[in-house]
Amino acid sequence: SGKSTLLRVASGELAPDAGSVRPQRGARICYLPQSGYDVYPMTSDWTVGQELERAFTDLHEVAAEVEALEERMAEGDADEQVLTDYGELLEQLEHGGYHNRDREISLVMNGLGFTDSDRNRLVSDLSGGWEMRVTLGRVLLSRADLLLLDEPTNYLDLPAREWLEGYLTRSGIGFMIVAHDREFLDRCCQTVLEIRDGRLSVYAGDYSNYERVRAEQIRVETKAYDLQQEEI
């Protein structure tokens, strides 16, 4: 009923037919589609570790700028603007966790079921399900303010699913999830959005609470309809 479409519109991948999407200024939004190949194409001769490093591409570019400025300063070019730019770039690296990225990559890899030795494994050797785990890993490492996850548990076994539950609930990152896994939704989500007849309704609480509230709404609506039909 438009769940994936809602995520695609929110991510900016799909333009709305009407209205507009207004993310908070500077907000970093990262989207995981059900199939990540179009949004996150992989290079067949790259390793799992190299693919996960792509989550830090912007910081690698910042690190290259830092190195260039250091060379300029070593040659005696250290005016006020150079020093200001240098300090700002160093702050970006620190805030983005650039120097801790190796530990974060290992954490996410192990949580999703990879071993440390898999870091050097070619992605071309992986099945489609394991490639999707790599894509999910890239999304989780993206340092996003908001994650839009479309069926993130489809390719996960129970240990990886339980790890993802804990990672999302402890991370402090905002997230919106489309999933058919009701237990996963109960453990992760505090608000449920329902799309019905082209309208979006918001329910506070987990999925089980949504089911109870919605069942009562249907009971009341059905009773009102029956009374109306009797009157007619």
Side-chain angles (χ1 to χ4, degrees):
S1 187
K3 301 182 294 298
S4 296
T5 300
L6 178 65
L7 293 192
R8 293 177 64 198
V9 169
S11 72
E13 182 184 312
L14 186 67
D17 294 327
S20 61
V21 178
R22 296 190 297 273
Q24 183 177 338
R25 183 183 299 275
R28 189 182 181 97
I29 300 173
C30 202
Y31 166 55
L32 175 77
Q34 288 191 41
S35 175
Y37 307 117
D38 294 335
V39 179
Y40 301 100
M42 295 191 185
T43 305
S44 60
D45 59 350
W46 278 31
T47 65
V48 171
Q50 288 174 312
E51 286 291 345
L52 293 176
E53 275 281 354
R54 284 188 172 183
F56 300 92
T57 297
D58 58 327
L59 294 182
H60 285 304
E61 294 172 354
V62 173
E65 293 182 51
V66 167
E67 185 176 343
L69 288 179
E70 287 175 341
E71 291 178 0
R72 288 176 58 181
M73 289 187 291
E75 295 170 357
D77 183 4
D79 61 25
E80 184 177 347
Q81 187 60 54
V82 169
L83 293 175
T84 298
D85 293 344
Y86 183 69
E88 291 177 351
L89 292 173
L90 287 180
E91 186 175 348
Q92 288 183 44
L93 292 181
E94 183 66 26
H95 180 71
Y98 180 74
H99 301 294
N100 296 322
R101 70 188 188 283
D102 190 67
R103 180 178 62 83
E104 288 299 312
I105 288 174
S106 293
L107 172 69
V108 170
M109 280 186 61
N110 294 335
L112 293 177
F114 292 98
T115 64
D116 291 335
S117 62
D118 286 329
R119 185 178 289 218
N120 297 318
R121 188 176 178 186
L122 293 177
V123 294
S124 58
D125 293 336
L126 302 178
S127 66
W130 283 95
E131 284 189 7
M132 279 303 299
R133 294 195 194 204
V134 175
T135 302
L136 175 57
R138 280 176 60 180
V139 170
L140 297 178
L141 290 165
S142 65
R143 308 172 322 283
D145 301 297
L146 174 63
L147 296 174
L148 305 174
L149 307 177
D150 198 347
E151 299 285 1
T153 62
N154 270 2
Y155 302 96
L156 301 183
D157 54 15
L158 182 58
R161 190 191 72 178
E162 292 177 343
W163 174 85
L164 181 60
E165 290 171 2
Y167 183 90
L168 291 174
T169 54
R170 291 192 300 267
S171 67
I173 302 170
F175 54 86
M176 181 184 294
I177 297 173
V178 170
H180 289 88
D181 187 333
R182 299 182 180 193
E183 290 185 7
F184 182 78
L185 293 175
D186 268 347
R187 292 171 181 168
C188 292
C189 298
Q190 301 172 342
T191 305
V192 173
L193 307 180
E194 178 197 62
I195 302 175
R196 183 185 295 269
D197 298 328
R199 298 182 63 85
L200 192 71
S201 301
V202 182
Y203 295 83
D206 58 23
Y207 187 84
S208 293
N209 182 69
Y210 153 75
E211 284 192 307
R212 289 190 294 270
V213 172
R214 184 63 184 140
E216 176 61 17
Q217 287 180 337
I218 292 174
R219 187 190 68 80
V220 171
E221 291 170 2
T222 301
K223 183 177 180 180
Y225 174 79
D226 291 341
L227 290 174
Q228 181 191 56
Q229 293 304 304
E230 288 181 14
E231 182 176 355
I232 291 173

